[in-house]
Amino acid sequence: MSHYILHRGERSAPRFGRLLLPLATAALALLTALPAQADGSQPDSVQANAAQQAARKPAAPADCALPGRTGWTDEGHDTDPAQFLRPDGKIRAAMLFVDFPDAPATESTTEDAAQLTPAADWLREASYGDARLSITPINRWMRMPQNANTYGFERGITFEQHELYVGQAVAAADPYVDFGDYDIVYVVPTKAAGAITFSPTYLFDPGTTGVVADGKRVKWAVTFGQDMWRWGFKVLSHETGHIFGLPDLYAFSGETHGYVGGWDVMGLISGASPRYSGWHSWKLGWIDDKEVACLDAAGQSTVKLSPIESKGGGTKLAVVRTGPTTAYVAEARRAEGLDSAACSSGVLIYKVDSAAQTGAGPMRVMDSTPGSTPGNGCLPLDDGAYQPGQSFTDAATGVRIDVLKANGGHTTVRVSRT
């Protein structure tokens, strides 16, 4: 994983990379009365509120969308369209290949391109066909003006150093590329450049001139490092997710994959279920409001979920809002498509907090099997999908999510909030 979140003038150590930054109608079933007591009768408090709850209209999905923390990479739905690239339609990317005076290339550019370009098909499937990434490899080596070990990757690169690196790569390629034709620039170093260790994402600083070529400002770039040979093409999917405004789901401190395990490529890049979570797909516009069921106040609802791996139709998310910036989400996941290697199938339940910073747990998966020993290649949370008969409860917020049954490719859940 490789990206940085830095403001201009800051430095960070190269851990698993952080993003280098400058500075509906709800698809809900009818609300029902709260559960009966063991003898079948309703508590007095429920009887008193039954008419009010039954008369209450299902909430619109917009009522469960959360505001962002800063407008940068977070779980909010108010993603800044000027700062981040809209992940819809054709997205044009130029792939540049660079070598260095102290690390001349010996391999072909096609070998390096083959390591990353499959991400275009992966992204198309992940977005249900909405985001069509078109990568144009510029198949020649462009010589950078500095030695590879002078850019600061090994010491914890700063935003200024990273912008210099992007600018020099663009300048070297300018005679061969019309940058006015592209939305994203991918910079790929030769295998020989061991000092270019990791793969940060570059987002422009609106307060500076930045990098300009062919009359167009380069606003979004990813500079790949030697970790691309470990992570493969999904490192491009992860880093491009930052360009779309998504935060890191792995932890910058403590247990690296203790928040979401391998359930989203924004967490563990090589995870067993790497498809973008349903919340991210909704945030990015790949899941429509009509596919989201929202409960934003006390009440109860039964929702039939379609798996997020399938395209179109049905309800993909059941969301219970718990505060100004928090919500619980339930989505159905199964082992197919991009998630074919999933360690468990069922209902994934997680908490979202749009006030939490990237790398500090803005999304946290609830584990249906705490203390279990997952299978080979699986992290502790990877076998945590909930099965029929299981339930999740958060007493502090009054949220309860029961998985009722699974049939016909759908899973029925009951969500409630007291």
Side-chain angles (χ1 to χ4, degrees):
M1 274 158 286
S2 313
H3 96 273
Y4 270 95
I5 291 194
L6 283 182
H7 289 186
R8 192 154 46 98
E10 292 183 331
R11 178 186 298 275
S12 182
R15 184 175 163 72
F16 291 96
R18 303 173 193 163
L19 173 62
L20 277 167
L21 285 182
L23 295 169
T25 303
L28 277 170
L30 292 176
L31 286 171
T32 63
L34 290 175
Q37 299 186 90
D39 63 1
S41 65
Q42 296 285 351
D44 291 343
S45 60
V46 172
Q47 292 175 359
N49 290 307
Q52 177 183 355
Q53 293 296 333
R56 183 177 174 274
K57 293 182 180 180
D63 294 327
C64 283
L66 302 177
R69 180 182 64 87
T70 62
W72 294 97
T73 54
D74 55 42
E75 297 296 2
H77 277 71
D78 50 355
T79 305
D80 184 350
Q83 184 66 55
F84 298 102
L85 179 62
R86 180 177 175 82
D88 182 50
K90 187 173 183 179
I91 300 168
R92 303 161 301 171
M95 181 170 283
L96 314 181
F97 302 91
V98 297
D99 67 358
F100 307 84
D102 63 333
T106 57
E107 78 274 21
S108 69
T109 59
T110 54
E111 179 183 353
D112 292 53
Q115 185 73 2
L116 296 169
T117 51
D121 290 335
W122 193 95
L123 185 62
R124 182 179 291 227
E125 183 174 347
S127 68
Y128 310 105
D130 288 352
R132 301 185 298 279
L133 179 62
S134 175
I135 302 174
T136 301
I138 311 302
N139 284 310
R140 62 181 302 137
W141 289 106
M142 268 72 77
R143 177 60 55 88
M144 296 287 274
Q146 298 179 204
N147 286 341
N149 62 6
T150 64
Y151 291 100
F153 283 84
E154 293 176 304
R155 299 184 302 276
I157 192 169
T158 65
F159 174 78
E160 290 83 358
Q161 289 172 311
H162 194 221
E163 187 168 74
L164 172 68
Y165 182 87
V166 172
Q168 290 180 350
V170 167
D174 199 28
Y176 317 105
V177 182
D178 184 350
F179 286 95
D181 293 338
Y182 297 101
D183 305 301
I184 299 174
V185 173
Y186 295 131
V187 182
V188 182
T190 174
K191 276 184 178 181
I196 311 300
T197 52
F198 63 101
S199 306
T201 296
Y202 169 80
L203 300 182
F204 76 104
D205 181 344
T208 67
T209 302
V211 179
V212 178
D214 299 314
K216 182 177 181 178
R217 182 164 188 175
V218 176
K219 298 174 69 173
W220 304 292
V222 178
T223 62
F224 294 95
Q226 301 308 314
D227 61 345
M228 65 179 259
W229 298 99
R230 174 185 180 186
W231 299 115
F233 65 84
K234 280 182 284 188
V235 71
L236 189 149
S237 302
H238 175 101
E239 300 303 334
T240 304
H242 294 312
I243 289 174
F244 298 155
L246 299 183
D248 274 317
L249 300 184
Y250 62 88
F252 289 177
S253 62
E255 185 182 353
T256 305
H257 298 295
Y259 292 143
V260 301
W263 284 107
D264 189 305
V265 75
M266 301 311 295
L268 177 59
I269 294 175
S270 61
S273 302
R275 189 184 192 101
Y276 296 108
S277 64
W279 181 270
H280 281 169
S281 295
W282 184 29
K283 170 181 166 71
L284 297 177
W286 301 337
I287 286 178
D288 297 331
D289 281 2
K290 65 184 179 182
E291 298 174 286
V292 179
C294 170
L295 183 66
D296 71 335
Q300 179 177 284
S301 180
T302 301
V303 183
K304 182 185 288 187
L305 293 171
S306 298
I308 67 167
E309 290 83 6
S310 63
K311 179 180 179 179
T315 302
K316 291 291 197 296
L317 298 179
V319 183
V320 185
R321 186 161 184 172
T322 57
T325 65
T326 57
Y328 280 104
V329 182
E331 64 187 47
R333 300 290 287 263
R334 62 188 183 190
E336 67 175 42
L338 303 181
D339 289 343
S340 59
C343 300
S344 65
S345 294
V347 175
L348 188 68
I349 298 173
Y350 52 92
K351 180 181 180 179
V352 176
D353 184 352
S354 63
Q357 298 185 35
T358 181
M363 183 181 293
R364 302 190 182 208
V365 168
M366 304 296 110
D367 192 354
S368 69
T369 58
S372 67
T373 301
N376 291 337
C378 300
L379 297 177
L381 288 174
D382 291 352
D383 62 355
Y386 286 73
Q387 308 302 317
Q390 290 185 303
S391 64
F392 164 76
T393 301
D394 179 2
T397 59
V399 170
R400 180 181 174 100
I401 301 174
D402 294 276
V403 182
L404 302 180
K405 62 181 178 179
N407 58 17
H410 297 84
T411 305
T412 303
V413 300
R414 182 172 59 233
V415 297
S416 60
R417 181 180 166 197
T418 58

